[in-house]
Amino acid sequence: MNNLKKAPPVLILEDVAVAYKIRGGEIEAVQNVSFEINRGETHGIVGESGCGKSTVAWAVLNFLGANGYVKRGSIKFQGQELVGVTGEELRRLRGDQIAMVYQDPMQALNPSMRLGDQMSEVLTVHRDMDKKEAEKRCIEMLERVYMPDAANVMNRYPHQISGGQQQRVVIATALLNNPALLIMDEPTTALDVTVEAVVLDLIADLRREFDTAIMYITHNLGVVARVSTRVGVMYAGEMVERGTVEDIYKDPQHPYTQGLMRCVPKLGADKASSILYPIRGRVPPPNNRPVGCVFSPRCDYVREICHNKRPELLEFSSGVSVRCHFAGEIEADKWSPSDDILPPEIITDTSPREPILKLDNLKKYYEVQGSSLKDILGLGEQRYVKAVENADFDLPRGTTLGVVGESGCGKSTLIKTIIGLEQTTEGHAEFMEIDITDEISTRGEDVIKELQMVFQNPDSTMNPSYTVGQQIGRPMKRFSTVPKDEIRGEVIKLLESMRLGENYYDRLPRQLSGGEKQRVGIARALASHPNLVLCDEPVSALDVSVQAALLNLLLELQQEYDTTMMFIAHDLSVVRFFSDQVAVMYLGQIMEIGPANAIYAPPYHPYSEALLSAVPIPDPSAEQKHIRLEGTVPSAINPPDGCRFHTRCPRRELLPDGGAICETEMPPWRETAEGHRIFCHIPLETLNTFDPVITQKPEGSNHVS
Amino acid sequence: MLVKDYMTRHPIMISPETDASEAQNIMTENNIRHLPVVGDGKRLLGLITREKLHVPPSDLGSLNVWEISRLLSDLKVKGMMVKGKDLITTEGDITIEDAAKIMLEEKIGCLPVLEDGVVGGIITDTDMLAHLAHLMGATVQGVRVTIRMPDKVGESAKVTDVIASHGWGIYGGGGHDAPKQPGYWDAVLKIQGGDKEEVVAALEQIEGQEIIDVR
Amino acid sequence: MKAKTKKKSRLQKFWDSVSLILASRVATVGSIMVLFWLVLAFISLFWTPYDYNASDFLQNLGPNPQNWLGTDHLGRDIFSRLMKGTQVVLLKTRLPGEGNIIIPGGVAIWGVIGSMALGVTMGLNAGYRGGWWDQVIMQILDALIAFPRIVLYLVVIAALGQGDLVVILAISITGAPGVARLARSLAMDIKTRDYIRAAETRGESVWYIMFKEILPNASGPLLVDGMLRVGYAIFAIGTLGFLGIGLPPPDPDWGNMVNEARRNIFSNQLAVIWPALAIATLVIGLNLFADGLREEMTRYQK
Ligand SMILES: Nc1ncnc2c1ncn2[C@@H]1O[C@H](COP(=O)(O)OP(=O)(O)O)[C@@H](O)[C@H]1O
Ligand code: SF4
Ligand code: SF4
Ligand SMILES: [Mg+2]
């Protein structure tokens, strides 16, 4: 229904430029950004890191720090100019009408104060509400954000509740004042997908109920598609495209937006939709932006004029505005990938190969030290964190196993145990027919060099004190795989296959971008030509356009060297294209394992089904089943008996007695013909009847009533 | 259909210390006519309207140009707003027609809506008109018919039965005593599903009722 | 072309460090104070106004055109003695035995190097290996710290007699626990980084990991700490000299100068001030320098 009422927008930014003063000059982190947000509207701002998203938010809040200031343009909040206004006046203008939610909830919570006190302070200080009344109001608000056991939470300290719950407290606190504008900067980035899904639902509800204008900042295209009505795409400090979510996702106009859409996994029905095409190059730093169009060095359509003249913002009748000289002329579906970003062809060699790694009921328990007097004296019962339980599978040579699951489910422990950084508690592991159950110090050099690892965090994967060349050369030297005088040549060869030139040899890690560091990390792992490479979320910390390039590269190298791989990821979309096999873990237990395609279609394990329906998909026309898990992941110290998922399983009802059996008995492995195994009491016939989680919305169903 | 569902939430508000000229600007720029005046924590102190900002010409008669401009720039909202018992407010939980009644009786164009003692929104005559337009189905396509019927129980049911039997839908409408025709009732309906001829043909069949306008 | 850019970058590097120091006013002041003494020390290697040990003048003179800072109770030129005294602290160490063997590097410098070597080894082992190693090493360090410093000095010197090396040893032992604690906490932080995991998965030895992977990344804070420690060491040498158990003659020792002047404080007040001032300025200069550098370095990282 189109609204006849025309209330003025809550926030209007016009041509805003923000600059930071730095040593010897200043950088314009944000240029020419214009947009407005209406009541009850969520305006997404999406872009890769360093594009100036947070800076926009800080400019509105006047939190730019000592060295930042709004250089040009105007920011109007509730019809009143904020730029150039300072101090008391500004406080009055913003009053309690703007609230902010950050990525890390602990940034907003005081760790040494009860949550109830922190929340009610908002009401007692500004509004003179009496304490009793304020507490009552807080509890109501907590219930509105679906906080279980709200009254009890009021008495706890922040560290006593989970991250997802902390974020809910922050949101509830922000809403207590009923702000006109709510700014959220990556509020769900630190949360697991299933928790994120709940928080996103919540945000959508609250917007409707309170008519709040929300500025939602994120790097995740899927999240924006789920929460926002309109979206602005930022690149290198500029807003390059803006429009409704439907328009932007269905028919992106700016080459950058088009590129972004092609490099995020879509998780659609067919595997082809998960092919990723990276954008070449990388985001320029703010002090080194090209003249003319900021995107010109990476653009497929670049022409002479793009290098000389900055494009103006072109507005289309649909309301979409685009900053490109050729907006409207570029047809996204005529695009074809150039050779350098083409993903490698997947050779689907189905002939079974011998397993290179065999796990036989592998267990890893960590001892936990209690803090009671009894524990200190050693009288208490020894307790364990059961991080990995009964991992049991074979990994055929030359294949890739994707391992997915939420944080803390034991993915990293599993590979650390395999590689020998942790001592196995029970069970047995065999690699190339050699026993590797014990720690790395007990292993021979021939095994060590065949088993290497790639790490998650680009900032800590490389030793800051050594050059790229030294670090990649080290394994060659240590394992003497290459004669000393040939190491340099070999390293350069490896660098080149990583698409990094010889000139990277002498660089130090701090001179590299995140993606480049990860490439070096991979090169280092491959330097000894290992047979098995274990990758622990190698792309999670990277921007999407870089992530795609790295995934394609890994795939190519794997095929070239015939390497076997285990690849950890926290969301199901990333591993899809990439893996031959996928394993889904929950609370230390592998719940489902099988050929990649089989995991994404029924029969599903109930947990995989929930996970799939939680993943935000960057495609507003995709229809996703709405399954939300209740409660939180139980502690791994005392995991639930029977099926570990029984405390949250939405599918137990299908079993007799509401799944009483799940609480007491370990489920059996249900196996399909194609080697797809599901760890569940529900029989396969029933699992087979589940609908696919993701389907395409039927066209044109916008009708009322 | 309660006030809280139709009011404008998060209205633009100003503080009592704002200059009158500034308030004037805010109104002009945002194309609005009412500004709630609030203190800390959004507590309502008063309401300023465009009329209130007009300084009566008689006050200015005796002053020269310079004095006038000084007078104008010194004026603060505090001294000009509606306040105290002249300030009429409402809660979000009353019906929209009750709010309309209050506005008519008091001859005012705007009601600040209080929630928990602080400003939760405002509802103005514009909102009321928008609501009327929506009620009548102004925002949807369809056939608008006005039917005159005897003011008796069961008459409107006849109409809805006919519409339902054709599988059409009613997307808006209302009713009123027929002007200058005691004992009759005019009903307006926005009907979707059939075209003009079909709708007229179907409704003409009803005995004792008359179609007085179709568009 | 390539060589050119490289050369430029080395010069650049040097200029970067200098501008780092200049960026902080505190570090600039500190470095000027330290440089002042360093320059005096170098000059004294070749030239002092007068012979520092000869009683050429009247006793207890105040400052005058010939003796800028006056003379002491034996009629020796104080300025010459102060200049010469810088050498043992900053520039040379006299080894015992025949032939007056001298090695470069002052007693304060070697003392700090000693405590760094000892402390870093213990700290890295405690921090990286953890568990049982950590427990034992920390117990030893706690025991050492529990002793008052002066008592420790006295114990070492009483056991080994006087001499430059003994002072170095005393400084090393008393300084090591502090260094070790710092090194331990740095190691505990750095060992969580992924590149340490990478080294472990390559099967590198514990010593390689501690000294090749961890130490280079801990060197920044350790160097700053070392700089501060040179200050403490100078102070310690002064204290020992004052107690009469410091650096042996013939070289003048600032602490000893204070001590001797103290006895004549009624006939010549200024004589006690000069060496005390020398110790103070050098120590404060080093402190300022280290503080400013630390501040500027952490800002640089952000
Ligand atoms: N206080 C600051 N001083 C100097 N540069 C800054 C400061 N804060 C952010 N920047 C720079 O501004 C750019 C935009 O940063 P940011 O707004 O945080 O991006 P995003 O939120 O999109 O990741 C980045 O290049 C960042 O390095
Ligand atoms: S202006 Fe040119 S370079 Fe920039 S996005 Fe458009 S086509 Fe590409
Ligand atoms: S075994 Fe029971 S609780 Fe576990 S996943 Fe299956 S139905 Fe759910
Ligand atoms: Mg950010």
Side-chain angles (χ1 to χ4, degrees):
Chain A
M1 188 166 79
N2 48 342
N3 208 332
L4 292 172
K5 272 167 59 176
K6 288 264 182 296
V10 172
L11 182 73
I12 308 174
L13 270 76
E14 239 168 85
D15 242 357
V16 171
V18 182
Y20 290 108
K21 295 196 179 98
I22 53 163
R23 233 181 240 169
E26 64 174 30
I27 48 172
E28 276 192 38
V30 163
Q31 292 173 333
N32 300 88
V33 167
S34 310
F35 64 94
E36 83 246 347
I37 312 180
N38 289 309
R39 280 170 188 69
E41 181 185 47
T42 305
H43 194 291
I45 294 185
V46 64
E48 300 177 87
S49 58
C51 282
K53 307 181 297 289
S54 302
T55 303
V56 170
W58 294 328
V60 174
L61 289 163
N62 195 27
F63 281 173
L64 286 167
N67 63 339
Y69 71 109
V70 177
K71 195 172 172 190
R72 285 189 302 276
S74 113
I75 301 175
K76 278 205 180 121
F77 172 65
Q78 289 285 44
Q80 296 168 68
E81 183 62 55
L82 295 185
V83 176
V85 183
T86 49
E88 178 61 13
E89 179 78 4
L90 193 65
R91 193 195 65 80
R92 216 199 62 221
L93 284 181
R94 285 196 312 242
D96 332 307
Q97 297 203 62
I98 305 183
M100 172 105 193
V101 176
Y102 300 93
Q103 171 172 348
D104 177 8
M106 281 314 287
Q107 216 174 324
L109 297 174
N110 180 343
S112 57
M113 222 171 141
R114 287 186 323 122
L115 291 166
D117 292 337
Q118 308 191 26
M119 286 186 74
S120 47
E121 207 172 56
V122 174
L123 295 174
T124 49
V125 171
H126 279 298
R127 285 211 210 160
D128 292 340
M129 201 179 270
D130 78 85
K131 188 110 178 101
K132 274 263 155 50
E133 173 72 18
E135 297 227 336
K136 202 180 112 229
R137 196 61 55 71
C138 294
I139 294 177
E140 278 170 22
M141 192 56 82
L142 283 176
E143 277 163 358
R144 268 210 177 107
V145 300
Y146 311 117
M147 176 71 78
D149 200 7
N152 194 347
V153 166
M154 295 280 287
N155 288 320
R156 292 200 224 161
Y157 289 90
H159 66 92
Q160 293 170 319
I161 57 177
S162 73
Q165 288 175 336
Q166 286 171 355
Q167 198 60 294
R168 274 184 245 183
V169 172
V170 174
I171 294 174
T173 314
L175 287 173
L176 277 176
N177 268 328
N178 190 13
L181 176 66
L182 185 58
I183 299 179
M184 308 184 108
D185 192 354
E186 310 261 10
T188 61
T189 304
L191 307 177
D192 274 320
V193 270
T194 57
V195 183
E196 173 181 73
V198 178
V199 174
L200 292 181
D201 288 352
L202 172 72
I203 292 169
D205 275 4
L206 295 174
R207 165 174 70 85
R208 253 172 260 133
E209 190 180 332
F210 293 95
D211 245 348
T212 315
I214 299 179
M215 176 161 151
Y216 195 101
I217 295 173
T218 174
H219 68 279
N220 186 324
L221 285 160
V223 169
V224 185
R226 195 176 279 171
V227 295
S228 3
T229 36
R230 275 190 295 172
V231 55
V233 181
M234 289 201 63
Y235 179 76
E238 295 184 4
M239 194 170 275
V240 293
E241 182 162 5
R242 194 172 93 91
T244 63
V245 166
E246 286 76 23
D247 285 337
I248 300 273
Y249 281 72
K250 208 189 287 162
D251 191 16
Q253 298 293 323
H254 195 280
Y256 175 63
T257 321
Q258 293 170 355
L260 267 187
M261 297 295 164
R262 284 188 290 259
C263 63
V264 289
K266 289 283 186 334
L267 203 54
D270 63 324
K271 191 168 173 171
S273 74
S274 55
I275 298 182
L276 308 178
Y277 302 101
I279 304 175
R280 79 168 80 81
R282 58 152 136 157
V283 184
N287 52 359
N288 197 15
R289 294 200 177 123
V291 285
C293 173
V294 280
F295 190 55
S296 56
R298 306 177 75 188
C299 182
D300 282 334
Y301 304 95
V302 60
R303 280 185 238 168
E304 192 54 41
I305 182 172
C306 308
H307 293 301
N308 310 324
K309 191 164 166 271
R310 273 193 69 194
E312 295 295 316
L313 205 60
L314 292 178
E315 209 152 326
F316 290 84
S317 56
S318 58
V320 174
S321 48
V322 184
R323 195 178 279 283
C324 169
H325 288 303
F326 305 104
E329 298 167 28
I330 294 166
E331 287 168 64
D333 36 359
K334 294 242 174 74
W335 178 86
S336 66
S338 58
D339 285 344
D340 55 334
I341 60 167
L342 209 57
E345 217 160 289
I346 306 246
I347 307 152
T348 32
D349 178 11
T350 45
S351 59
R353 300 180 65 181
E354 83 289 357
I356 190 168
L357 178 74
K358 289 190 208 158
L359 299 189
D360 180 16
N361 277 314
L362 201 71
K363 281 189 183 136
K364 172 65 197 173
Y365 293 178
Y366 293 102
E367 287 182 17
V368 280
Q369 194 74 55
S371 54
S372 69
L373 185 62
K374 225 164 134 197
D375 292 320
I376 291 168
L377 295 176
L379 300 173
E381 189 191 341
Q382 180 60 55
R383 291 182 306 164
Y384 297 96
V385 171
K386 302 184 174 172
V388 174
E389 190 80 85
N390 298 339
D392 191 309
F393 58 84
D394 291 352
L395 187 56
R397 188 181 278 275
T399 60
T400 300
L401 170 69
V403 182
V404 290
E406 296 173 278
S407 62
C409 73
K411 306 176 298 265
S412 297
T413 309
L414 175 62
I415 64 171
K416 277 189 192 155
T417 312
I418 295 172
I419 206 162
L421 289 173
E422 300 287 353
Q423 173 65 41
T424 311
T425 307
E426 228 182 281
H428 197 74
E430 205 173 86
F431 172 62
M432 304 195 309
E433 264 130 43
I434 301 168
D435 184 285
I436 56 158
T437 309
D438 285 326
E439 264 187 303
I440 200 157
S441 53
T442 66
R443 298 183 187 173
E445 208 149 274
D446 45 341
V447 179
I448 290 177
K449 86 165 188 241
E450 296 296 352
L451 201 51
Q452 288 295 309
M453 184 162 169
V454 178
F455 299 88
Q456 169 175 6
N457 185 348
D459 292 323
S460 85
T461 196
M462 290 183 69
N463 191 327
S465 302
Y466 296 104
T467 64
V468 168
Q470 285 170 320
Q471 302 202 41
I472 301 178
R474 177 65 198 170
M476 300 180 185
K477 203 149 116 198
R478 162 142 176 78
F479 300 120
S480 319
T481 46
V482 180
K484 263 212 166 85
D485 47 342
E486 286 168 32
I487 287 183
R488 191 186 160 97
E490 199 62 28
V491 169
I492 288 169
K493 234 200 270 165
L494 207 50
L495 275 175
E496 264 153 15
S497 68
M498 288 294 148
R499 309 263 157 77
L500 299 172
E502 186 182 345
N503 57 343
Y504 279 80
Y505 191 91
D506 286 317
R507 290 206 201 170
L508 282 169
R510 67 180 139 83
Q511 297 166 300
L512 307 183
S513 71
E516 288 166 343
K517 285 183 208 163
Q518 283 306 74
R519 283 168 197 240
V520 175
I522 294 170
R524 184 182 57 197
L526 293 177
S528 58
H529 294 292
N531 273 325
L532 176 60
V533 176
L534 308 175
C535 306
D536 191 353
E537 308 231 17
V539 296
S540 309
L542 303 179
D543 280 321
V544 278
S545 69
V546 181
Q547 174 179 328
L550 208 68
L551 285 174
N552 289 343
L553 186 65
L554 262 178
L555 197 57
E556 198 176 295
L557 290 165
Q558 185 205 6
Q559 294 186 353
E560 188 180 328
Y561 293 104
D562 193 27
T563 317
T564 316
M565 243 187 314
M566 268 175 82
F567 186 99
I568 292 185
H570 58 253
D571 92 51
L572 278 159
S573 48
V574 172
V575 294
R576 167 99 202 241
F577 171 68
F578 195 73
S579 318
D580 303 291
Q581 303 256 328
V582 173
V584 182
M585 281 183 85
Y586 178 79
L587 207 51
Q589 174 78 52
I590 294 179
M591 289 294 182
E592 177 172 16
I593 184 169
N597 276 338
I599 302 285
Y600 297 85
Y604 298 114
H605 185 278
Y607 175 64
S608 316
E609 188 188 23
L611 209 52
L612 271 171
S613 82
V615 179
I617 306 177
D619 181 4
S621 66
E623 191 109 56
Q624 223 168 346
K625 248 195 278 185
H626 189 91
I627 302 173
R628 297 291 179 258
L629 295 182
E630 299 197 349
T632 50
V633 184
S635 154
I637 295 182
N638 254 325
D641 286 333
C643 172
R644 290 192 169 185
F645 189 47
H646 81 239
T647 54
R648 306 171 77 197
C649 180
R651 291 291 190 179
R652 284 172 57 176
E653 266 69 57
L654 296 175
L655 289 166
D657 297 333
I661 188 174
C662 306
E663 292 175 26
T664 49
E665 266 176 57
M666 281 263 224
W669 279 106
R670 311 266 179 200
E671 186 155 2
T672 70
E674 42 185 353
H676 177 191
R677 293 186 294 149
I678 297 176
F679 195 60
C680 181
H681 282 297
I682 303 177
L684 265 185
E685 299 78 66
T686 317
L687 291 174
N688 265 322
T689 62
F690 292 4
D691 293 324
V693 171
I694 296 156
T695 45
Q696 210 61 23
K697 257 184 214 160
E699 282 292 323
S701 60
N702 300 328
H703 198 258
V704 254
S705 105
Chain B
M1 294 193 180
L2 301 179
V3 163
K4 66 174 176 202
D5 303 318
Y6 290 92
M7 67 185 181
T8 302
R9 286 179 184 276
H10 313 292
I12 297 181
M13 299 182 282
I14 55 175
S15 95
E17 300 301 326
T18 314
D19 293 335
S21 55
E22 170 79 21
Q24 184 98 49
N25 277 345
I26 294 173
M27 287 190 186
T28 323
E29 272 180 30
N30 296 289
N31 198 17
I32 49 178
R33 293 166 302 148
H34 311 271
L35 285 170
V37 182
V38 290
D40 248 5
K42 291 190 238 175
R43 268 170 305 185
L44 185 67
L45 302 176
L47 181 76
I48 197 96
T49 63
R50 285 206 182 174
E51 297 85 66
K52 282 285 164 189
L53 285 173
H54 291 155
V55 181
S58 59
D59 282 11
L60 301 175
S62 58
L63 305 173
N64 70 30
V65 182
W66 303 106
E67 283 169 324
I68 290 175
S69 66
R70 234 200 52 225
L71 176 77
L72 288 179
S73 66
D74 279 354
L75 288 173
K76 299 250 186 238
V77 160
K78 196 161 48 174
M80 314 178 80
M81 64 191 185
V82 189
K83 56 182 173 231
K85 66 175 179 4
D86 293 335
L87 181 59
I88 295 150
T89 62
T90 180
E91 297 280 323
D93 274 336
I94 70 167
T95 63
I96 195 127
E97 54 270 30
D98 283 344
K101 245 172 76 192
I102 298 175
M103 285 163 72
L104 282 171
E105 280 163 9
E106 305 285 345
K107 278 208 161 235
I108 50 174
C110 165
L111 280 173
V113 184
L114 298 185
E115 284 180 339
D116 309 327
V118 301
V119 180
I122 56 171
I123 190 153
T124 67
D125 39 17
T126 316
D127 296 328
M128 294 290 178
L129 288 176
H131 183 60
L132 176 66
H134 274 297
L135 268 184
M136 303 298 285
T139 53
V140 287
Q141 299 294 315
V143 184
R144 182 189 191 273
V145 284
T146 312
I147 309 164
R148 183 155 294 173
M149 57 182 79
D151 192 359
K152 278 193 295 202
V153 176
E155 288 292 330
S156 46
K158 288 182 192 164
V159 181
T160 47
D161 284 350
V162 169
I163 292 167
S165 71
H166 283 83
W168 301 330
I170 300 174
Y171 281 78
H176 206 286
D177 302 319
K180 300 178 197 114
Q181 281 247 13
Y184 280 88
W185 182 261
D186 282 353
V188 182
L189 296 174
K190 192 75 165 256
I191 297 166
Q192 239 183 34
D195 61 29
K196 212 184 220 169
E197 285 72 41
E198 288 171 341
V199 170
V200 171
L203 291 178
E204 266 173 356
Q205 308 299 319
I206 306 174
E207 250 175 66
Q209 298 192 1
E210 182 194 354
I211 296 175
I212 55 174
D213 180 69
V214 192
R215 51 186 80 206
Chain C
M1 176 70 205
K2 217 176 229 168
K4 215 172 172 183
T5 53
K6 224 181 213 168
K7 225 179 239 157
K8 195 180 154 203
S9 85
R10 195 164 299 158
L11 203 92
Q12 194 103 38
K13 246 187 218 160
F14 176 72
W15 179 242
D16 279 353
S17 343
V18 173
S19 69
L20 197 69
I21 295 167
L22 292 180
S24 153
R25 197 172 305 164
V26 175
T28 315
V29 171
S31 58
I32 290 173
M33 289 164 78
V34 175
L35 269 179
F36 170 76
W37 285 109
L38 266 179
V39 169
L40 272 194
F42 271 107
I43 293 174
S44 75
L45 286 177
F46 312 103
W47 174 84
T48 49
Y50 306 100
D51 182 352
Y52 62 92
N53 256 349
S55 312
D56 290 344
F57 304 95
L58 286 180
Q59 298 167 358
N60 292 332
L61 286 180
N64 60 58
Q66 271 125 45
N67 315 100
W68 294 346
L69 304 182
T71 61
D72 67 0
H73 63 289
L74 294 179
R76 295 174 295 194
D77 180 49
I78 293 183
F79 186 58
S80 305
R81 286 180 71 71
L82 276 187
M83 275 177 78
K84 188 70 185 174
T86 336
Q87 285 184 16
V88 257
V89 177
L90 295 175
L91 290 188
K92 65 171 192 190
T93 296
R94 296 156 297 170
L95 296 186
E98 294 304 304
N100 287 335
I101 310 162
I102 284 173
I103 55 171
V107 171
I109 309 287
W110 281 110
V112 169
I113 291 176
S115 58
M116 296 294 276
L118 205 61
V120 163
T121 312
M122 298 217 281
L124 288 183
N125 272 292
Y128 175 64
R129 298 188 195 235
W132 182 85
W133 279 83
D134 193 20
Q135 300 263 326
V136 171
I137 291 176
M138 289 318 283
Q139 291 300 334
I140 296 173
L141 292 179
D142 282 345
L144 269 180
I145 286 174
F147 267 105
R149 233 163 230 257
I150 287 290
V151 176
L152 261 185
Y153 288 138
L154 288 175
V155 168
V156 174
I157 289 165
L160 299 173
Q162 243 174 324
D164 286 8
L165 282 190
V166 178
V167 174
I168 290 175
L169 192 66
I171 293 172
S172 301
I173 291 179
T174 50
V179 178
R181 276 170 183 275
L182 177 64
R184 172 177 176 266
S185 66
L186 287 167
M188 284 179 28
D189 176 22
I190 293 170
K191 81 168 176 187
T192 62
R193 308 285 158 85
D194 286 341
Y195 54 85
I196 304 298
R197 293 293 86 63
E200 285 166 358
T201 58
R202 281 200 305 272
E204 302 281 12
S205 76
V206 175
W207 292 97
Y208 180 90
I209 292 178
M210 286 191 304
F211 284 91
K212 290 285 195 144
E213 299 275 349
I214 296 181
L215 186 57
N217 299 306
S219 59
L222 283 172
L223 273 180
V224 171
D225 185 61
M227 214 99 74
L228 285 173
R229 270 169 204 290
V230 174
Y232 302 153
I234 292 167
F235 214 77
I237 296 171
T239 313
L240 292 175
F242 185 79
L243 295 174
I245 50 172
L247 301 172
D251 280 32
D253 170 351
W254 291 351
N256 201 16
M257 281 169 72
V258 176
N259 190 24
E260 286 170 359
R262 179 190 56 105
R263 288 190 216 129
N264 301 294
I265 193 144
F266 295 109
S267 29
N268 186 358
Q269 287 83 359
L270 281 177
V272 82
I273 299 287
W274 299 124
L277 207 61
I279 296 175
T281 46
L282 189 47
V283 172
I284 292 173
L286 278 160
N287 266 288
L288 291 179
F289 182 62
D291 264 359
L293 207 60
R294 171 165 45 205
E295 207 168 272
E296 215 43 39
M297 253 158 58
T298 45
R299 176 172 0 193
Y300 199 59
Q301 273 160 10
K302 267 185 209 159

